[in-house]
Amino acid sequence: MYKAVCVITLLLLSAVLRAQVAGHLFCGRNWYCEMTKDPDGNIYPAGKGTEKDHMSFNCDSTFVLVEDTVTLKGKWKFEEEEMVITLVQQQIATMPGEIAFHIIDHDEGHLVLIGQKGTAGERTMYLYTK
């Protein structure tokens, strides 16, 4: 029985640590859009004048999204099993309260997301950090 408890504890700890590592992989950084791709495969590079647009995932579970003249703030949560990051905002009434993205790839400098809940379709976003 002791072995089973140890194995279960190690598995749970491992899952928590993986979530923390993945969460910390993209938190504390500004993420900028390199390009987007629509479901038909059409690619749209980031436009001129968007160099300052970014998304920041703070390690205290808050986020800031800056696009043109709009700054959106709220909380974010990461679901490791589904590889989904959800932004929760109550600041702008005309926007969805929850906006979810499926993470399809990530490393130290890149993040690839597909829009899901609360987005304008399954657009793929390729982000990078400086």
Side-chain angles (χ1 to χ4, degrees), residues 65 70 72 89 92-99 118:
L65 184 126
V70 176
L72 183 64
Q89 69 88 28
I92 300 176
T94 57
M95 290 185 69
E98 288 194 3
I99 305 164

Side-chain angles (χ1 to χ4, degrees), residues 11-77:
L11 289 173
L12 289 172
L13 184 58
S14 172
V16 168
L17 289 175
R18 277 196 320 270
Q20 288 177 343
V21 168
H24 287 291
L25 187 64
F26 47 81
C27 83
R29 301 176 181 178
N30 290 339
W31 293 92
Y32 301 86
C33 184
E34 179 179 349
M35 67 179 171
T36 60
K37 183 168 61 170
D38 68 20
D40 296 327
N42 299 312
I43 295 174
Y44 304 93
K48 290 197 183 270
T50 63
E51 296 85 12
K52 293 184 180 180
D53 293 357
H54 67 277
M55 202 175 344
S56 297
F57 301 103
N58 301 313
C59 294
D60 67 355
S61 297
T62 60
F63 77 88
V64 177
L65 184 126
V66 176
E67 188 173 329
D68 196 25
T69 60
V70 176
T71 299
L72 183 64
K73 296 179 181 182
K75 295 261 185 196
W76 65 275
K77 57 186 173 183

Side-chain angles (χ1 to χ4, degrees), residues 77-80 82-86 100-103 116:
K77 57 186 173 183
F78 176 65
E79 299 166 44
E80 187 209 4
E82 294 83 17
M83 290 302 287
V84 171
I85 188 162
T86 303
F101 302 95
H102 178 79
I103 300 169
Q116 291 186 321

